[in-house]
mmCIF file with all atom_site columns, all heavy atoms in Angstrom:
data_model
loop_
_atom_site.group_PDB
_atom_site.id
_atom_site.type_symbol
_atom_site.label_atom_id
_atom_site.label_alt_id
_atom_site.label_comp_id
_atom_site.label_asym_id
_atom_site.label_entity_id
_atom_site.label_seq_id
_atom_site.pdbx_PDB_ins_code
_atom_site.Cartn_x
_atom_site.Cartn_y
_atom_site.Cartn_z
_atom_site.occupancy
_atom_site.B_iso_or_equiv
_atom_site.pdbx_formal_charge
_atom_site.auth_seq_id
_atom_site.auth_comp_id
_atom_site.auth_asym_id
_atom_site.auth_atom_id
_atom_site.pdbx_PDB_model_num
ATOM 1   N N   . ILE C 1 12 ? 18.449 1.727  -5.229  1.00 95.00 ? 12 ILE C N   1
ATOM 2   C CA  . ILE C 1 12 ? 18.396 1.855  -3.763  1.00 95.00 ? 12 ILE C CA  1
ATOM 3   C C   . ILE C 1 12 ? 19.695 2.496  -3.257  1.00 95.00 ? 12 ILE C C   1
ATOM 4   O O   . ILE C 1 12 ? 19.669 3.387  -2.392  1.00 95.00 ? 12 ILE C O   1
ATOM 5   C CB  . ILE C 1 12 ? 18.134 0.483  -3.094  1.00 95.00 ? 12 ILE C CB  1
ATOM 6   C CG1 . ILE C 1 12 ? 16.708 0.022  -3.411  1.00 95.00 ? 12 ILE C CG1 1
ATOM 7   C CG2 . ILE C 1 12 ? 18.338 0.549  -1.576  1.00 95.00 ? 12 ILE C CG2 1
ATOM 8   C CD1 . ILE C 1 12 ? 16.332 -1.355 -2.901  1.00 95.00 ? 12 ILE C CD1 1
ATOM 9   N N   . GLY C 1 13 ? 20.817 2.084  -3.839  1.00 95.00 ? 13 GLY C N   1
ATOM 10  C CA  . GLY C 1 13 ? 22.092 2.708  -3.465  1.00 95.00 ? 13 GLY C CA  1
ATOM 11  C C   . GLY C 1 13 ? 22.099 4.194  -3.815  1.00 95.00 ? 13 GLY C C   1
ATOM 12  O O   . GLY C 1 13 ? 22.548 5.032  -3.027  1.00 95.00 ? 13 GLY C O   1
ATOM 13  N N   . PHE C 1 14 ? 21.573 4.510  -4.998  1.00 95.00 ? 14 PHE C N   1
ATOM 14  C CA  . PHE C 1 14 ? 21.530 5.913  -5.426  1.00 95.00 ? 14 PHE C CA  1
ATOM 15  C C   . PHE C 1 14 ? 20.633 6.741  -4.508  1.00 95.00 ? 14 PHE C C   1
ATOM 16  O O   . PHE C 1 14 ? 20.924 7.902  -4.217  1.00 95.00 ? 14 PHE C O   1
ATOM 17  C CB  . PHE C 1 14 ? 21.027 5.988  -6.876  1.00 95.00 ? 14 PHE C CB  1
ATOM 18  C CG  . PHE C 1 14 ? 21.217 7.336  -7.506  1.00 95.00 ? 14 PHE C CG  1
ATOM 19  C CD1 . PHE C 1 14 ? 22.466 7.756  -7.930  1.00 95.00 ? 14 PHE C CD1 1
ATOM 20  C CD2 . PHE C 1 14 ? 20.146 8.203  -7.657  1.00 95.00 ? 14 PHE C CD2 1
ATOM 21  C CE1 . PHE C 1 14 ? 22.640 9.005  -8.500  1.00 95.00 ? 14 PHE C CE1 1
ATOM 22  C CE2 . PHE C 1 14 ? 20.311 9.453  -8.230  1.00 95.00 ? 14 PHE C CE2 1
ATOM 23  C CZ  . PHE C 1 14 ? 21.568 9.860  -8.662  1.00 95.00 ? 14 PHE C CZ  1
ATOM 24  N N   . ALA C 1 15 ? 19.555 6.099  -4.041  1.00 94.00 ? 15 ALA C N   1
ATOM 25  C CA  . ALA C 1 15 ? 18.653 6.799  -3.105  1.00 94.00 ? 15 ALA C CA  1
ATOM 26  C C   . ALA C 1 15 ? 19.406 7.146  -1.813  1.00 94.00 ? 15 ALA C C   1
ATOM 27  O O   . ALA C 1 15 ? 19.149 8.192  -1.200  1.00 94.00 ? 15 ALA C O   1
ATOM 28  C CB  . ALA C 1 15 ? 17.439 5.935  -2.799  1.00 94.00 ? 15 ALA C CB  1
ATOM 29  N N   . GLY C 1 16 ? 20.342 6.277  -1.428  1.00 94.00 ? 16 GLY C N   1
ATOM 30  C CA  . GLY C 1 16 ? 21.168 6.573  -0.249  1.00 94.00 ? 16 GLY C CA  1
ATOM 31  C C   . GLY C 1 16 ? 21.985 7.836  -0.472  1.00 94.00 ? 16 GLY C C   1
ATOM 32  O O   . GLY C 1 16 ? 22.097 8.688  0.422   1.00 94.00 ? 16 GLY C O   1
ATOM 33  N N   . VAL C 1 17 ? 22.526 7.979  -1.676  1.00 94.00 ? 17 VAL C N   1
ATOM 34  C CA  . VAL C 1 17 ? 23.296 9.191  -2.012  1.00 94.00 ? 17 VAL C CA  1
ATOM 35  C C   . VAL C 1 17 ? 22.375 10.413 -1.967  1.00 94.00 ? 17 VAL C C   1
ATOM 36  O O   . VAL C 1 17 ? 22.729 11.469 -1.431  1.00 94.00 ? 17 VAL C O   1
ATOM 37  C CB  . VAL C 1 17 ? 23.941 9.045  -3.419  1.00 94.00 ? 17 VAL C CB  1
ATOM 38  C CG1 . VAL C 1 17 ? 24.661 10.312 -3.818  1.00 94.00 ? 17 VAL C CG1 1
ATOM 39  C CG2 . VAL C 1 17 ? 24.878 7.847  -3.444  1.00 94.00 ? 17 VAL C CG2 1
ATOM 40  N N   . LEU C 1 18 ? 21.154 10.243 -2.513  1.00 93.00 ? 18 LEU C N   1
ATOM 41  C CA  . LEU C 1 18 ? 20.192 11.356 -2.522  1.00 93.00 ? 18 LEU C CA  1
ATOM 42  C C   . LEU C 1 18 ? 19.818 11.765 -1.097  1.00 93.00 ? 18 LEU C C   1
ATOM 43  O O   . LEU C 1 18 ? 19.612 12.943 -0.810  1.00 93.00 ? 18 LEU C O   1
ATOM 44  C CB  . LEU C 1 18 ? 18.925 10.964 -3.285  1.00 93.00 ? 18 LEU C CB  1
ATOM 45  C CG  . LEU C 1 18 ? 19.075 10.781 -4.798  1.00 93.00 ? 18 LEU C CG  1
ATOM 46  C CD1 . LEU C 1 18 ? 17.785 10.241 -5.386  1.00 93.00 ? 18 LEU C CD1 1
ATOM 47  C CD2 . LEU C 1 18 ? 19.439 12.096 -5.467  1.00 93.00 ? 18 LEU C CD2 1
ATOM 48  N N   . ALA C 1 19 ? 19.723 10.764 -0.218  1.00 92.00 ? 19 ALA C N   1
ATOM 49  C CA  . ALA C 1 19 ? 19.385 11.077 1.174   1.00 92.00 ? 19 ALA C CA  1
ATOM 50  C C   . ALA C 1 19 ? 20.470 11.954 1.796   1.00 92.00 ? 19 ALA C C   1
ATOM 51  O O   . ALA C 1 19 ? 20.179 12.858 2.592   1.00 92.00 ? 19 ALA C O   1
ATOM 52  C CB  . ALA C 1 19 ? 19.216 9.786  1.969   1.00 92.00 ? 19 ALA C CB  1
ATOM 53  N N   . LEU C 1 20 ? 21.716 11.706 1.413   1.00 93.00 ? 20 LEU C N   1
ATOM 54  C CA  . LEU C 1 20 ? 22.805 12.538 1.930   1.00 93.00 ? 20 LEU C CA  1
ATOM 55  C C   . LEU C 1 20 ? 22.729 13.964 1.378   1.00 93.00 ? 20 LEU C C   1
ATOM 56  O O   . LEU C 1 20 ? 23.209 14.910 2.006   1.00 93.00 ? 20 LEU C O   1
ATOM 57  C CB  . LEU C 1 20 ? 24.161 11.919 1.560   1.00 93.00 ? 20 LEU C CB  1
ATOM 58  C CG  . LEU C 1 20 ? 24.470 10.550 2.179   1.00 93.00 ? 20 LEU C CG  1
ATOM 59  C CD1 . LEU C 1 20 ? 25.774 10.002 1.633   1.00 93.00 ? 20 LEU C CD1 1
ATOM 60  C CD2 . LEU C 1 20 ? 24.538 10.651 3.700   1.00 93.00 ? 20 LEU C CD2 1
ATOM 61  N N   . LEU C 1 21 ? 22.120 14.088 0.199   1.00 90.00 ? 21 LEU C N   1
ATOM 62  C CA  . LEU C 1 21 ? 22.009 15.414 -0.448  1.00 90.00 ? 21 LEU C CA  1
ATOM 63  C C   . LEU C 1 21 ? 20.674 16.091 -0.135  1.00 90.00 ? 21 LEU C C   1
ATOM 64  O O   . LEU C 1 21 ? 20.266 16.999 -0.850  1.00 90.00 ? 21 LEU C O   1
ATOM 65  C CB  . LEU C 1 21 ? 22.146 15.244 -1.967  1.00 90.00 ? 21 LEU C CB  1
ATOM 66  C CG  . LEU C 1 21 ? 23.496 14.762 -2.499  1.00 90.00 ? 21 LEU C CG  1
ATOM 67  C CD1 . LEU C 1 21 ? 23.406 14.497 -3.991  1.00 90.00 ? 21 LEU C CD1 1
ATOM 68  C CD2 . LEU C 1 21 ? 24.577 15.799 -2.230  1.00 90.00 ? 21 LEU C CD2 1
ATOM 69  N N   . HIS C 1 22 ? 19.975 15.642 0.913   1.00 86.00 ? 22 HIS C N   1
ATOM 70  C CA  . HIS C 1 22 ? 18.614 16.157 1.134   1.00 86.00 ? 22 HIS C CA  1
ATOM 71  C C   . HIS C 1 22 ? 18.570 17.657 1.399   1.00 86.00 ? 22 HIS C C   1
ATOM 72  O O   . HIS C 1 22 ? 17.563 18.308 1.170   1.00 86.00 ? 22 HIS C O   1
ATOM 73  C CB  . HIS C 1 22 ? 17.939 15.395 2.281   1.00 86.00 ? 22 HIS C CB  1
ATOM 74  C CG  . HIS C 1 22 ? 18.493 15.696 3.621   1.00 86.00 ? 22 HIS C CG  1
ATOM 75  N ND1 . HIS C 1 22 ? 19.570 15.010 4.119   1.00 86.00 ? 22 HIS C ND1 1
ATOM 76  C CD2 . HIS C 1 22 ? 18.148 16.609 4.558   1.00 86.00 ? 22 HIS C CD2 1
ATOM 77  C CE1 . HIS C 1 22 ? 19.858 15.479 5.324   1.00 86.00 ? 22 HIS C CE1 1
ATOM 78  N NE2 . HIS C 1 22 ? 19.010 16.447 5.620   1.00 86.00 ? 22 HIS C NE2 1
ATOM 79  N N   . ASN C 1 23 ? 19.678 18.224 1.863   1.00 87.00 ? 23 ASN C N   1
ATOM 80  C CA  . ASN C 1 23 ? 19.661 19.681 2.092   1.00 87.00 ? 23 ASN C CA  1
ATOM 81  C C   . ASN C 1 23 ? 20.082 20.469 0.849   1.00 87.00 ? 23 ASN C C   1
ATOM 82  O O   . ASN C 1 23 ? 20.253 21.685 0.910   1.00 87.00 ? 23 ASN C O   1
ATOM 83  C CB  . ASN C 1 23 ? 20.523 20.056 3.313   1.00 87.00 ? 23 ASN C CB  1
ATOM 84  C CG  . ASN C 1 23 ? 21.898 19.435 3.238   1.00 87.00 ? 23 ASN C CG  1
ATOM 85  O OD1 . ASN C 1 23 ? 22.201 18.776 2.249   1.00 87.00 ? 23 ASN C OD1 1
ATOM 86  N ND2 . ASN C 1 23 ? 22.715 19.636 4.253   1.00 87.00 ? 23 ASN C ND2 1
ATOM 87  N N   . LYS C 1 24 ? 20.245 19.772 -0.265  1.00 89.00 ? 24 LYS C N   1
ATOM 88  C CA  . LYS C 1 24 ? 20.489 20.457 -1.552  1.00 89.00 ? 24 LYS C CA  1
ATOM 89  C C   . LYS C 1 24 ? 19.383 20.019 -2.509  1.00 89.00 ? 24 LYS C C   1
ATOM 90  O O   . LYS C 1 24 ? 19.611 19.182 -3.405  1.00 89.00 ? 24 LYS C O   1
ATOM 91  C CB  . LYS C 1 24 ? 21.861 20.079 -2.098  1.00 89.00 ? 24 LYS C CB  1
ATOM 92  C CG  . LYS C 1 24 ? 22.998 20.657 -1.259  1.00 89.00 ? 24 LYS C CG  1
ATOM 93  C CD  . LYS C 1 24 ? 24.329 20.234 -1.798  1.00 89.00 ? 24 LYS C CD  1
ATOM 94  C CE  . LYS C 1 24 ? 25.412 20.836 -0.900  1.00 89.00 ? 24 LYS C CE  1
ATOM 95  N NZ  . LYS C 1 24 ? 26.715 20.247 -1.133  1.00 89.00 ? 24 LYS C NZ  1
ATOM 96  N N   . PRO C 1 25 ? 18.178 20.556 -2.323  1.00 87.00 ? 25 PRO C N   1
ATOM 97  C CA  . PRO C 1 25 ? 17.024 20.028 -3.062  1.00 87.00 ? 25 PRO C CA  1
ATOM 98  C C   . PRO C 1 25 ? 17.132 20.148 -4.578  1.00 87.00 ? 25 PRO C C   1
ATOM 99  O O   . PRO C 1 25 ? 16.696 19.253 -5.302  1.00 87.00 ? 25 PRO C O   1
ATOM 100 C CB  . PRO C 1 25 ? 15.835 20.844 -2.521  1.00 87.00 ? 25 PRO C CB  1
ATOM 101 C CG  . PRO C 1 25 ? 16.430 21.998 -1.807  1.00 87.00 ? 25 PRO C CG  1
ATOM 102 C CD  . PRO C 1 25 ? 17.820 21.648 -1.411  1.00 87.00 ? 25 PRO C CD  1
ATOM 103 N N   . LYS C 1 26 ? 17.736 21.244 -5.045  1.00 89.00 ? 26 LYS C N   1
ATOM 104 C CA  . LYS C 1 26 ? 17.803 21.430 -6.498  1.00 89.00 ? 26 LYS C CA  1
ATOM 105 C C   . LYS C 1 26 ? 18.686 20.348 -7.137  1.00 89.00 ? 26 LYS C C   1
ATOM 106 O O   . LYS C 1 26 ? 18.295 19.705 -8.109  1.00 89.00 ? 26 LYS C O   1
ATOM 107 C CB  . LYS C 1 26 ? 18.363 22.836 -6.787  1.00 89.00 ? 26 LYS C CB  1
ATOM 108 C CG  . LYS C 1 26 ? 17.754 23.468 -8.015  1.00 89.00 ? 26 LYS C CG  1
ATOM 109 C CD  . LYS C 1 26 ? 18.120 24.902 -8.132  1.00 89.00 ? 26 LYS C CD  1
ATOM 110 C CE  . LYS C 1 26 ? 16.875 25.772 -8.201  1.00 89.00 ? 26 LYS C CE  1
ATOM 111 N NZ  . LYS C 1 26 ? 17.158 27.191 -8.239  1.00 89.00 ? 26 LYS C NZ  1
ATOM 112 N N   . LEU C 1 27 ? 19.867 20.178 -6.554  1.00 92.00 ? 27 LEU C N   1
ATOM 113 C CA  . LEU C 1 27 ? 20.807 19.182 -7.080  1.00 92.00 ? 27 LEU C CA  1
ATOM 114 C C   . LEU C 1 27 ? 20.191 17.777 -6.979  1.00 92.00 ? 27 LEU C C   1
ATOM 115 O O   . LEU C 1 27 ? 20.255 16.977 -7.924  1.00 92.00 ? 27 LEU C O   1
ATOM 116 C CB  . LEU C 1 27 ? 22.115 19.241 -6.274  1.00 92.00 ? 27 LEU C CB  1
ATOM 117 C CG  . LEU C 1 27 ? 23.181 18.208 -6.649  1.00 92.00 ? 27 LEU C CG  1
ATOM 118 C CD1 . LEU C 1 27 ? 23.687 18.451 -8.068  1.00 92.00 ? 27 LEU C CD1 1
ATOM 119 C CD2 . LEU C 1 27 ? 24.346 18.243 -5.654  1.00 92.00 ? 27 LEU C CD2 1
ATOM 120 N N   . SER C 1 28 ? 19.557 17.516 -5.838  1.00 92.00 ? 28 SER C N   1
ATOM 121 C CA  . SER C 1 28 ? 18.938 16.217 -5.608  1.00 92.00 ? 28 SER C CA  1
ATOM 122 C C   . SER C 1 28 ? 17.845 15.946 -6.651  1.00 92.00 ? 28 SER C C   1
ATOM 123 O O   . SER C 1 28 ? 17.749 14.842 -7.189  1.00 92.00 ? 28 SER C O   1
ATOM 124 C CB  . SER C 1 28 ? 18.378 16.194 -4.190  1.00 92.00 ? 28 SER C CB  1
ATOM 125 O OG  . SER C 1 28 ? 17.628 15.060 -3.980  1.00 92.00 ? 28 SER C OG  1
ATOM 126 N N   . SER C 1 29 ? 17.039 16.974 -6.927  1.00 92.00 ? 29 SER C N   1
ATOM 127 C CA  . SER C 1 29 ? 15.949 16.821 -7.913  1.00 92.00 ? 29 SER C CA  1
ATOM 128 C C   . SER C 1 29 ? 16.511 16.529 -9.303  1.00 92.00 ? 29 SER C C   1
ATOM 129 O O   . SER C 1 29 ? 16.028 15.631 -10.006 1.00 92.00 ? 29 SER C O   1
ATOM 130 C CB  . SER C 1 29 ? 15.127 18.113 -7.985  1.00 92.00 ? 29 SER C CB  1
ATOM 131 O OG  . SER C 1 29 ? 14.114 18.076 -7.064  1.00 92.00 ? 29 SER C OG  1
ATOM 132 N N   . ILE C 1 30 ? 17.536 17.310 -9.682  1.00 93.00 ? 30 ILE C N   1
ATOM 133 C CA  . ILE C 1 30 ? 18.117 17.121 -11.027 1.00 93.00 ? 30 ILE C CA  1
ATOM 134 C C   . ILE C 1 30 ? 18.697 15.709 -11.145 1.00 93.00 ? 30 ILE C C   1
ATOM 135 O O   . ILE C 1 30 ? 18.443 14.999 -12.122 1.00 93.00 ? 30 ILE C O   1
ATOM 136 C CB  . ILE C 1 30 ? 19.205 18.192 -11.300 1.00 93.00 ? 30 ILE C CB  1
ATOM 137 C CG1 . ILE C 1 30 ? 18.556 19.574 -11.400 1.00 93.00 ? 30 ILE C CG1 1
ATOM 138 C CG2 . ILE C 1 30 ? 19.972 17.876 -12.577 1.00 93.00 ? 30 ILE C CG2 1
ATOM 139 C CD1 . ILE C 1 30 ? 19.531 20.720 -11.399 1.00 93.00 ? 30 ILE C CD1 1
ATOM 140 N N   . LEU C 1 31 ? 19.438 15.295 -10.114 1.00 94.00 ? 31 LEU C N   1
ATOM 141 C CA  . LEU C 1 31 ? 20.054 13.964 -10.150 1.00 94.00 ? 31 LEU C CA  1
ATOM 142 C C   . LEU C 1 31 ? 18.999 12.862 -10.245 1.00 94.00 ? 31 LEU C C   1
ATOM 143 O O   . LEU C 1 31 ? 19.135 11.905 -11.011 1.00 94.00 ? 31 LEU C O   1
ATOM 144 C CB  . LEU C 1 31 ? 20.915 13.744 -8.899  1.00 94.00 ? 31 LEU C CB  1
ATOM 145 C CG  . LEU C 1 31 ? 22.257 14.484 -8.856  1.00 94.00 ? 31 LEU C CG  1
ATOM 146 C CD1 . LEU C 1 31 ? 22.940 14.264 -7.510  1.00 94.00 ? 31 LEU C CD1 1
ATOM 147 C CD2 . LEU C 1 31 ? 23.171 14.007 -9.973  1.00 94.00 ? 31 LEU C CD2 1
ATOM 148 N N   . THR C 1 32 ? 17.916 13.022 -9.456  1.00 94.00 ? 32 THR C N   1
ATOM 149 C CA  . THR C 1 32 ? 16.850 12.000 -9.466  1.00 94.00 ? 32 THR C CA  1
ATOM 150 C C   . THR C 1 32 ? 16.216 11.902 -10.848 1.00 94.00 ? 32 THR C C   1
ATOM 151 O O   . THR C 1 32 ? 16.007 10.793 -11.367 1.00 94.00 ? 32 THR C O   1
ATOM 152 C CB  . THR C 1 32 ? 15.754 12.337 -8.441  1.00 94.00 ? 32 THR C CB  1
ATOM 153 O OG1 . THR C 1 32 ? 16.374 12.685 -7.227  1.00 94.00 ? 32 THR C OG1 1
ATOM 154 C CG2 . THR C 1 32 ? 14.813 11.176 -8.213  1.00 94.00 ? 32 THR C CG2 1
ATOM 155 N N   . CYS C 1 33 ? 15.900 13.078 -11.420 1.00 94.00 ? 33 CYS C N   1
ATOM 156 C CA  . CYS C 1 33 ? 15.219 13.064 -12.725 1.00 94.00 ? 33 CYS C CA  1
ATOM 157 C C   . CYS C 1 33 ? 16.120 12.443 -13.790 1.00 94.00 ? 33 CYS C C   1
ATOM 158 O O   . CYS C 1 33 ? 15.657 11.611 -14.588 1.00 94.00 ? 33 CYS C O   1
ATOM 159 C CB  . CYS C 1 33 ? 14.809 14.484 -13.119 1.00 94.00 ? 33 CYS C CB  1
ATOM 160 S SG  . CYS C 1 33 ? 13.528 15.135 -12.045 1.00 94.00 ? 33 CYS C SG  1
ATOM 161 N N   . VAL C 1 34 ? 17.395 12.821 -13.797 1.00 95.00 ? 34 VAL C N   1
ATOM 162 C CA  . VAL C 1 34 ? 18.310 12.274 -14.814 1.00 95.00 ? 34 VAL C CA  1
ATOM 163 C C   . VAL C 1 34 ? 18.462 10.768 -14.613 1.00 95.00 ? 34 VAL C C   1
ATOM 164 O O   . VAL C 1 34 ? 18.408 9.986  -15.571 1.00 95.00 ? 34 VAL C O   1
ATOM 165 C CB  . VAL C 1 34 ? 19.687 12.990 -14.725 1.00 95.00 ? 34 VAL C CB  1
ATOM 166 C CG1 . VAL C 1 34 ? 20.707 12.294 -15.626 1.00 95.00 ? 34 VAL C CG1 1
ATOM 167 C CG2 . VAL C 1 34 ? 19.550 14.449 -15.119 1.00 95.00 ? 34 VAL C CG2 1
ATOM 168 N N   . PHE C 1 35 ? 18.608 10.363 -13.353 1.00 95.00 ? 35 PHE C N   1
ATOM 169 C CA  . PHE C 1 35 ? 18.813 8.942  -13.062 1.00 95.00 ? 35 PHE C CA  1
ATOM 170 C C   . PHE C 1 35 ? 17.585 8.110  -13.440 1.00 95.00 ? 35 PHE C C   1
ATOM 171 O O   . PHE C 1 35 ? 17.703 7.076  -14.100 1.00 95.00 ? 35 PHE C O   1
ATOM 172 C CB  . PHE C 1 35 ? 19.131 8.787  -11.569 1.00 95.00 ? 35 PHE C CB  1
ATOM 173 C CG  . PHE C 1 35 ? 19.435 7.378  -11.158 1.00 95.00 ? 35 PHE C CG  1
ATOM 174 C CD1 . PHE C 1 35 ? 20.644 6.785  -11.486 1.00 95.00 ? 35 PHE C CD1 1
ATOM 175 C CD2 . PHE C 1 35 ? 18.515 6.631  -10.430 1.00 95.00 ? 35 PHE C CD2 1
ATOM 176 C CE1 . PHE C 1 35 ? 20.921 5.482  -11.110 1.00 95.00 ? 35 PHE C CE1 1
ATOM 177 C CE2 . PHE C 1 35 ? 18.793 5.333  -10.051 1.00 95.00 ? 35 PHE C CE2 1
ATOM 178 C CZ  . PHE C 1 35 ? 20.002 4.754  -10.393 1.00 95.00 ? 35 PHE C CZ  1
ATOM 179 N N   . THR C 1 36 ? 16.394 8.576  -13.044 1.00 96.00 ? 36 THR C N   1
ATOM 180 C CA  . THR C 1 36 ? 15.190 7.792  -13.369 1.00 96.00 ? 36 THR C CA  1
ATOM 181 C C   . THR C 1 36 ? 14.923 7.792  -14.881 1.00 96.00 ? 36 THR C C   1
ATOM 182 O O   . THR C 1 36 ? 14.495 6.765  -15.429 1.00 96.00 ? 36 THR C O   1
ATOM 183 C CB  . THR C 1 36 ? 13.931 8.315  -12.633 1.00 96.00 ? 36 THR C CB  1
ATOM 184 O OG1 . THR C 1 36 ? 13.943 9.721  -12.653 1.00 96.00 ? 36 THR C OG1 1
ATOM 185 C CG2 . THR C 1 36 ? 13.859 7.830  -11.221 1.00 96.00 ? 36 THR C CG2 1
ATOM 186 N N   . LEU C 1 37 ? 15.222 8.920  -15.517 1.00 96.00 ? 37 LEU C N   1
ATOM 187 C CA  . LEU C 1 37 ? 15.067 8.951  -16.978 1.00 96.00 ? 37 LEU C CA  1
ATOM 188 C C   . LEU C 1 37 ? 15.970 7.887  -17.613 1.00 96.00 ? 37 LEU C C   1
ATOM 189 O O   . LEU C 1 37 ? 15.555 7.152  -18.522 1.00 96.00 ? 37 LEU C O   1
ATOM 190 C CB  . LEU C 1 37 ? 15.403 10.350 -17.515 1.00 96.00 ? 37 LEU C CB  1
ATOM 191 C CG  . LEU C 1 37 ? 15.304 10.522 -19.024 1.00 96.00 ? 37 LEU C CG  1
ATOM 192 C CD1 . LEU C 1 37 ? 13.863 10.368 -19.494 1.00 96.00 ? 37 LEU C CD1 1
ATOM 193 C CD2 . LEU C 1 37 ? 15.835 11.874 -19.481 1.00 96.00 ? 37 LEU C CD2 1
ATOM 194 N N   . GLY C 1 38 ? 17.192 7.800  -17.100 1.00 96.00 ? 38 GLY C N   1
ATOM 195 C CA  . GLY C 1 38 ? 18.131 6.784  -17.598 1.00 96.00 ? 38 GLY C CA  1
ATOM 196 C C   . GLY C 1 38 ? 17.572 5.382  -17.407 1.00 96.00 ? 38 GLY C C   1
ATOM 197 O O   . GLY C 1 38 ? 17.641 4.542  -18.312 1.00 96.00 ? 38 GLY C O   1
#
Side-chain angles (χ1 to χ4, degrees):
Chain C
I12 291 176
F14 192 75
V17 176
L18 291 173
L20 296 175
L21 294 173
H22 71 273
N23 50 3
K24 291 178 181 166
K26 215 170 237 177
L27 177 65
S28 172
S29 271
I30 293 169
L31 286 175
T32 313
C33 292
V34 172
F35 183 74
T36 41
L37 179 66

